[in-house]
Amino acid sequence: MLSSCSRLASGGRSVVGAAQECLQQRRFLNIHEYQSAALMARFGVNVPPGLPVTTLAEAKAASEKLKDKDGEVVIKSQILAGGRGLGTFTNGFKGGVHVIKASETEKYVEKMLGQTLVTKQSGAEGKPVNTLFIAEKMQLINEMYFAIVLDRVSNGPVVIACSQGGTSIEDLAEKYPDSIIKVPIDINEGITDAQAMKVVEGLKCTTDKAAAIEQIKAMYDVFSKNDCTMAEVNPLAETACGKLIAADAKLNFDDNAAFRQKELFELRDPSQEDPREVEAAKADLNYIGLDGSIGCMVNGAGLAMATMDIIQLHGGSPANFLDVGGAATEEQTVKAFKILLSDPKVKAILVNIFGGIMKCDVIAAGVVAAAKQVGVNVPLIVRLEGTNVELGKKLLEDAAASMPTLISATDLDDAAIKAVKSIS
């Protein structure tokens, strides 16, 4: 979903379609908490000492190294979804984050590592826990909320801060609306000492103000120098020894910056993503899975959105967003069909193509050839418009004689109606 703090930055919740929210989400690279902590530490941000582990032996060694005077550590599941603490593993074990005795490490690792964690943000299928983060237990005396996001209203970064923390910003906005401050930052000038002080005062820090200002500026450096779209620290906390520390963090990065942030983008974890989306990206296709039953194959993001809307208008539900681009090859079309049919919920496929750069007859020939190669066995509704559309429709009519599942549509309304009717 579109991040809650991004909606807050723009003045409230956005009322947008599910597909559009998915599109916003997929613009961003997400990395795990332990990776975020390591990156922030490189820029001078205070983070809790911790070690990522992928085996029981590593977990035991990390617990022994990081345990406090009471013999305790924090063990955190590493998945790319929020709500880990209140999540439930598919094996029945509750909670993806625990404070434990170092001596209990084996018991917890067996229940968490290699298991699937379901949270309010992961979806019903959950996310695999391939890594655990063993962290030092911190003595926190004050928890706050801090984030930097890109704001469409001010056309630049905005700092969102709240003197309360430890829970979602939406809950904080509801309970403590007067405690939230927003400080727009000039993207060219960067954050000033005066702005950093305003944030520190808004957070109601009780520690060294000068040191806190430097921490705010360091977090802005993380955001600006790594092409972040969001840097969220929740909680940003004060420790018993008077230090401001990023106790937990989530960083997102703009996919458009992949060419200059190659080291960061090597951190992408495909195991946390929909495997269909991973395969689509390899074929240079833009795919986002949804929950409906009518698969969509369209060229152009705007046309894809319109197609999904009109399917819903006529009583159906789109199974995906799939933009094959303006010059999709037969090989890409084959891959697109395979991805669509890999979803067991798909009961029909609607192909909606505008022939601009590519001619409709070329598109029709490619769609037919790809459908035959894959063996599409569900209703295949095809609507073409644009250059050489009549030649394209003739090719579809001829192909329908040997492909009983192929249905030609005259326009977008007709295509949506036929797609919905084919599975009703």
PDB file of all heavy atoms in Angstrom, residues 207-226:
ATOM      1  N   THR A 207      17.310  14.643  25.855  1.00  0.00           N
ATOM      2  CA  THR A 207      18.756  14.418  25.840  1.00  0.00           C
ATOM      3  C   THR A 207      19.465  15.658  25.290  1.00  0.00           C
ATOM      4  O   THR A 207      18.851  16.695  25.050  1.00  0.00           O
ATOM      5  CB  THR A 207      19.103  13.194  24.994  1.00  0.00           C
ATOM      6  OG1 THR A 207      18.517  13.346  23.697  1.00  0.00           O
ATOM      7  CG2 THR A 207      18.537  11.930  25.612  1.00  0.00           C
ATOM      8  N   ASP A 208      20.741  15.528  25.027  1.00  0.00           N
ATOM      9  CA  ASP A 208      21.573  16.612  24.496  1.00  0.00           C
ATOM     10  C   ASP A 208      20.980  17.116  23.173  1.00  0.00           C
ATOM     11  O   ASP A 208      20.953  16.402  22.176  1.00  0.00           O
ATOM     12  CB  ASP A 208      22.992  16.062  24.284  1.00  0.00           C
ATOM     13  CG  ASP A 208      23.965  17.134  23.804  1.00  0.00           C
ATOM     14  OD1 ASP A 208      23.520  18.150  23.243  1.00  0.00           O
ATOM     15  OD2 ASP A 208      25.177  16.924  23.986  1.00  0.00           O
ATOM     16  N   LYS A 209      20.508  18.353  23.153  1.00  0.00           N
ATOM     17  CA  LYS A 209      19.847  18.909  21.968  1.00  0.00           C
ATOM     18  C   LYS A 209      20.805  18.981  20.775  1.00  0.00           C
ATOM     19  O   LYS A 209      20.427  18.691  19.639  1.00  0.00           O
ATOM     20  CB  LYS A 209      19.282  20.296  22.276  1.00  0.00           C
ATOM     21  CG  LYS A 209      18.182  20.317  23.315  1.00  0.00           C
ATOM     22  CD  LYS A 209      16.898  19.688  22.799  1.00  0.00           C
ATOM     23  CE  LYS A 209      15.701  20.007  23.706  1.00  0.00           C
ATOM     24  NZ  LYS A 209      15.882  19.543  25.094  1.00  0.00           N
ATOM     25  N   ALA A 210      22.042  19.381  21.011  1.00  0.00           N
ATOM     26  CA  ALA A 210      23.006  19.502  19.916  1.00  0.00           C
ATOM     27  C   ALA A 210      23.275  18.142  19.280  1.00  0.00           C
ATOM     28  O   ALA A 210      23.345  18.016  18.050  1.00  0.00           O
ATOM     29  CB  ALA A 210      24.304  20.119  20.423  1.00  0.00           C
ATOM     30  N   ALA A 211      23.417  17.113  20.121  1.00  0.00           N
ATOM     31  CA  ALA A 211      23.648  15.766  19.602  1.00  0.00           C
ATOM     32  C   ALA A 211      22.419  15.262  18.847  1.00  0.00           C
ATOM     33  O   ALA A 211      22.530  14.590  17.817  1.00  0.00           O
ATOM     34  CB  ALA A 211      23.999  14.806  20.739  1.00  0.00           C
ATOM     35  N   ALA A 212      21.223  15.598  19.352  1.00  0.00           N
ATOM     36  CA  ALA A 212      19.983  15.179  18.688  1.00  0.00           C
ATOM     37  C   ALA A 212      19.860  15.829  17.315  1.00  0.00           C
ATOM     38  O   ALA A 212      19.427  15.193  16.345  1.00  0.00           O
ATOM     39  CB  ALA A 212      18.787  15.540  19.562  1.00  0.00           C
ATOM     40  N   ILE A 213      20.254  17.108  17.208  1.00  0.00           N
ATOM     41  CA  ILE A 213      20.224  17.804  15.919  1.00  0.00           C
ATOM     42  C   ILE A 213      21.121  17.087  14.912  1.00  0.00           C
ATOM     43  O   ILE A 213      20.750  16.897  13.747  1.00  0.00           O
ATOM     44  CB  ILE A 213      20.668  19.278  16.095  1.00  0.00           C
ATOM     45  CG1 ILE A 213      19.559  20.076  16.779  1.00  0.00           C
ATOM     46  CG2 ILE A 213      21.020  19.906  14.752  1.00  0.00           C
ATOM     47  CD1 ILE A 213      19.969  21.481  17.155  1.00  0.00           C
ATOM     48  N   GLU A 214      22.299  16.674  15.357  1.00  0.00           N
ATOM     49  CA  GLU A 214      23.216  15.971  14.460  1.00  0.00           C
ATOM     50  C   GLU A 214      22.628  14.638  14.003  1.00  0.00           C
ATOM     51  O   GLU A 214      22.842  14.213  12.859  1.00  0.00           O
ATOM     52  CB  GLU A 214      24.566  15.760  15.147  1.00  0.00           C
ATOM     53  CG  GLU A 214      25.341  17.048  15.387  1.00  0.00           C
ATOM     54  CD  GLU A 214      25.502  17.857  14.108  1.00  0.00           C
ATOM     55  OE1 GLU A 214      25.928  17.287  13.080  1.00  0.00           O
ATOM     56  OE2 GLU A 214      25.196  19.079  14.134  1.00  0.00           O
ATOM     57  N   GLN A 215      21.869  13.976  14.867  1.00  0.00           N
ATOM     58  CA  GLN A 215      21.230  12.719  14.484  1.00  0.00           C
ATOM     59  C   GLN A 215      20.138  12.955  13.432  1.00  0.00           C
ATOM     60  O   GLN A 215      20.013  12.189  12.476  1.00  0.00           O
ATOM     61  CB  GLN A 215      20.630  12.033  15.711  1.00  0.00           C
ATOM     62  CG  GLN A 215      21.647  11.342  16.587  1.00  0.00           C
ATOM     63  CD  GLN A 215      22.354  10.215  15.862  1.00  0.00           C
ATOM     64  OE1 GLN A 215      21.745   9.210  15.497  1.00  0.00           O
ATOM     65  NE2 GLN A 215      23.655  10.382  15.611  1.00  0.00           N
ATOM     66  N   ILE A 216      19.368  14.016  13.596  1.00  0.00           N
ATOM     67  CA  ILE A 216      18.326  14.340  12.611  1.00  0.00           C
ATOM     68  C   ILE A 216      18.978  14.638  11.259  1.00  0.00           C
ATOM     69  O   ILE A 216      18.511  14.167  10.204  1.00  0.00           O
ATOM     70  CB  ILE A 216      17.494  15.550  13.080  1.00  0.00           C
ATOM     71  CG1 ILE A 216      16.804  15.258  14.417  1.00  0.00           C
ATOM     72  CG2 ILE A 216      16.485  15.948  12.005  1.00  0.00           C
ATOM     73  CD1 ILE A 216      15.887  14.059  14.404  1.00  0.00           C
ATOM     74  N   LYS A 217      20.066  15.390  11.279  1.00  0.00           N
ATOM     75  CA  LYS A 217      20.765  15.722  10.033  1.00  0.00           C
ATOM     76  C   LYS A 217      21.387  14.471   9.400  1.00  0.00           C
ATOM     77  O   LYS A 217      21.404  14.323   8.173  1.00  0.00           O
ATOM     78  CB  LYS A 217      21.828  16.784  10.299  1.00  0.00           C
ATOM     79  CG  LYS A 217      21.225  18.149  10.647  1.00  0.00           C
ATOM     80  CD  LYS A 217      22.249  19.111  11.223  1.00  0.00           C
ATOM     81  CE  LYS A 217      23.286  19.515  10.190  1.00  0.00           C
ATOM     82  NZ  LYS A 217      24.237  20.509  10.736  1.00  0.00           N
ATOM     83  N   ALA A 218      21.881  13.560  10.230  1.00  0.00           N
ATOM     84  CA  ALA A 218      22.459  12.313   9.706  1.00  0.00           C
ATOM     85  C   ALA A 218      21.390  11.472   9.033  1.00  0.00           C
ATOM     86  O   ALA A 218      21.629  10.863   7.978  1.00  0.00           O
ATOM     87  CB  ALA A 218      23.122  11.534  10.841  1.00  0.00           C
ATOM     88  N   MET A 219      20.191  11.442   9.608  1.00  0.00           N
ATOM     89  CA  MET A 219      19.111  10.670   8.993  1.00  0.00           C
ATOM     90  C   MET A 219      18.660  11.312   7.684  1.00  0.00           C
ATOM     91  O   MET A 219      18.273  10.608   6.741  1.00  0.00           O
ATOM     92  CB  MET A 219      17.951  10.511   9.985  1.00  0.00           C
ATOM     93  CG  MET A 219      18.259   9.482  11.065  1.00  0.00           C
ATOM     94  SD  MET A 219      16.887   9.099  12.156  1.00  0.00           S
ATOM     95  CE  MET A 219      16.976  10.466  13.300  1.00  0.00           C
ATOM     96  N   TYR A 220      18.732  12.647   7.625  1.00  0.00           N
ATOM     97  CA  TYR A 220      18.408  13.294   6.355  1.00  0.00           C
ATOM     98  C   TYR A 220      19.462  12.945   5.297  1.00  0.00           C
ATOM     99  O   TYR A 220      19.138  12.766   4.118  1.00  0.00           O
ATOM    100  CB  TYR A 220      18.298  14.810   6.500  1.00  0.00           C
ATOM    101  CG  TYR A 220      17.892  15.471   5.192  1.00  0.00           C
ATOM    102  CD1 TYR A 220      16.561  15.485   4.807  1.00  0.00           C
ATOM    103  CD2 TYR A 220      18.846  16.012   4.335  1.00  0.00           C
ATOM    104  CE1 TYR A 220      16.181  16.043   3.591  1.00  0.00           C
ATOM    105  CE2 TYR A 220      18.470  16.565   3.121  1.00  0.00           C
ATOM    106  CZ  TYR A 220      17.145  16.581   2.752  1.00  0.00           C
ATOM    107  OH  TYR A 220      16.771  17.108   1.547  1.00  0.00           O
ATOM    108  N   ASP A 221      20.716  12.829   5.708  1.00  0.00           N
ATOM    109  CA  ASP A 221      21.770  12.412   4.773  1.00  0.00           C
ATOM    110  C   ASP A 221      21.485  11.017   4.214  1.00  0.00           C
ATOM    111  O   ASP A 221      21.686  10.768   3.028  1.00  0.00           O
ATOM    112  CB  ASP A 221      23.135  12.415   5.471  1.00  0.00           C
ATOM    113  CG  ASP A 221      23.757  13.800   5.535  1.00  0.00           C
ATOM    114  OD1 ASP A 221      23.257  14.697   4.830  1.00  0.00           O
ATOM    115  OD2 ASP A 221      24.731  13.975   6.288  1.00  0.00           O
ATOM    116  N   VAL A 222      21.051  10.119   5.077  1.00  0.00           N
ATOM    117  CA  VAL A 222      20.687   8.773   4.625  1.00  0.00           C
ATOM    118  C   VAL A 222      19.623   8.863   3.543  1.00  0.00           C
ATOM    119  O   VAL A 222      19.706   8.224   2.484  1.00  0.00           O
ATOM    120  CB  VAL A 222      20.171   7.909   5.799  1.00  0.00           C
ATOM    121  CG1 VAL A 222      19.616   6.588   5.286  1.00  0.00           C
ATOM    122  CG2 VAL A 222      21.278   7.658   6.807  1.00  0.00           C
ATOM    123  N   PHE A 223      18.616   9.690   3.815  1.00  0.00           N
ATOM    124  CA  PHE A 223      17.496   9.840   2.883  1.00  0.00           C
ATOM    125  C   PHE A 223      17.946  10.430   1.549  1.00  0.00           C
ATOM    126  O   PHE A 223      17.653   9.881   0.481  1.00  0.00           O
ATOM    127  CB  PHE A 223      16.429  10.734   3.524  1.00  0.00           C
ATOM    128  CG  PHE A 223      15.228  10.982   2.652  1.00  0.00           C
ATOM    129  CD1 PHE A 223      14.144  10.122   2.680  1.00  0.00           C
ATOM    130  CD2 PHE A 223      15.171  12.087   1.802  1.00  0.00           C
ATOM    131  CE1 PHE A 223      13.038  10.339   1.874  1.00  0.00           C
ATOM    132  CE2 PHE A 223      14.075  12.314   1.002  1.00  0.00           C
ATOM    133  CZ  PHE A 223      13.012  11.438   1.037  1.00  0.00           C
ATOM    134  N   SER A 224      18.672  11.535   1.599  1.00  0.00           N
ATOM    135  CA  SER A 224      18.978  12.283   0.384  1.00  0.00           C
ATOM    136  C   SER A 224      20.089  11.644  -0.444  1.00  0.00           C
ATOM    137  O   SER A 224      20.066  11.710  -1.677  1.00  0.00           O
ATOM    138  CB  SER A 224      19.349  13.725   0.731  1.00  0.00           C
ATOM    139  OG  SER A 224      20.514  13.765   1.541  1.00  0.00           O
ATOM    140  N   LYS A 225      21.066  11.040   0.203  1.00  0.00           N
ATOM    141  CA  LYS A 225      22.221  10.520  -0.523  1.00  0.00           C
ATOM    142  C   LYS A 225      22.032   9.101  -1.042  1.00  0.00           C
ATOM    143  O   LYS A 225      22.881   8.585  -1.763  1.00  0.00           O
ATOM    144  CB  LYS A 225      23.464  10.589   0.360  1.00  0.00           C
ATOM    145  CG  LYS A 225      23.878  12.027   0.672  1.00  0.00           C
ATOM    146  CD  LYS A 225      25.088  12.099   1.571  1.00  0.00           C
ATOM    147  CE  LYS A 225      25.471  13.551   1.864  1.00  0.00           C
ATOM    148  NZ  LYS A 225      26.636  13.653   2.775  1.00  0.00           N
ATOM    149  N   ASN A 226      20.913   8.481  -0.687  1.00  0.00           N
ATOM    150  CA  ASN A 226      20.658   7.116  -1.144  1.00  0.00           C
ATOM    151  C   ASN A 226      19.388   6.997  -1.973  1.00  0.00           C
ATOM    152  O   ASN A 226      18.886   5.894  -2.197  1.00  0.00           O
ATOM    153  CB  ASN A 226      20.570   6.174   0.063  1.00  0.00           C
ATOM    154  CG  ASN A 226      21.893   6.029   0.773  1.00  0.00           C
ATOM    155  OD1 ASN A 226      22.791   5.344   0.309  1.00  0.00           O
ATOM    156  ND2 ASN A 226      22.030   6.696   1.914  1.00  0.00           N
TER     157      ASN A 226
END
